[in-house]
Amino acid sequence: MRRTLLSLLATMPTLAACAARPPAPATTASSLTACPFAGGTAQVRIELYFGLTRPRGPDITRAEWRDFVSREVTQRFPDGLTEIEAGGQWRDRVSNRISREPSRILLLVAPASPGLAARVAEISTHYRTRFDQQAVGVVSMPVCAGF
């Protein structure tokens, strides 16, 4: 118990430093050097935020979404992902209007690797192009994870 608490306390300066500056690029596991949990390794958590409303035309259907995940996401992250149905709020970059729309959030956890950022960028680019979207939100952070 004491060793676990000391390990946790030792990581707190790293966590505080992350909060004080912009997140590290998705291609590194930042300064997370040791995982306090058995079986855990330094990895990167990536959150992708997708709006489901097209600027012109019908909303993106469940079938279109499933096809996109199958073709573009699963092939790049075959080890797994988590999908969350959500509702989002967005300020349109052209009209400056704020609107709400149905959304999806994908959570990915993967080892840091030289090609990781490129795989995430490809997913974002394909979604924006295929569904006429202004943006896909991307958040990344170093984590300790085990599966």
Side-chain angles (χ1 to χ4, degrees), residues 26-29 41-46 77 79 109-116 119:
T27 57
T28 68
T41 61
Q43 298 192 41
V44 180
R45 174 183 166 144
I46 301 137
F77 294 93
D79 290 338
V109 178
S113 67
L116 183 59
R119 289 187 288 158

Side-chain angles (χ1 to χ4, degrees), residues 5 7-9 11-12 18 24 30 34 37 39 42-43 53 78 80 82 105-106 108 116 118 128 130-131 137 141 143:
L5 182 56
S7 295
L8 184 59
L9 289 174
T11 63
M12 291 185 78
C18 288
S30 188
F37 304 106
Q43 298 192 41
T53 302
T82 298
I105 302 168
L106 291 181
L108 308 166
L116 183 59
R128 287 183 287 115
R130 180 173 175 179
F131 298 115
M141 64 198 80
V143 297

Side-chain angles (χ1 to χ4, degrees), residues 6-109:
L6 290 175
S7 295
L8 184 59
L9 289 174
T11 63
M12 291 185 78
T14 301
L15 296 174
C18 288
R21 67 174 187 271
T27 57
T28 68
S30 188
S31 58
L32 186 63
T33 57
C35 291
F37 304 106
T41 61
Q43 298 192 41
V44 180
R45 174 183 166 144
I46 301 137
E47 300 172 4
L48 298 163
Y49 297 84
F50 302 88
L52 298 177
T53 302
R54 289 183 174 100
R56 293 165 291 286
D59 286 357
I60 297 159
T61 66
R62 186 171 295 277
E64 289 174 311
W65 170 254
R66 297 294 337 134
D67 183 66
F68 174 79
V69 170
S70 176
R71 291 177 188 267
E72 303 298 340
V73 183
T74 302
Q75 72 170 341
R76 289 175 175 85
F77 294 93
D79 290 338
L81 58 90
T82 298
E83 179 180 330
I84 302 169
E85 291 188 23
Q89 182 172 300
W90 170 254
R91 182 190 308 261
D92 186 282
R93 292 178 180 168
V94 176
S95 69
N96 210 29
R97 282 195 330 253
I98 295 176
S99 59
R100 296 192 50 77
E101 66 181 309
S103 306
R104 294 289 185 277
I105 302 168
L106 291 181
L107 303 177
L108 308 166
V109 178

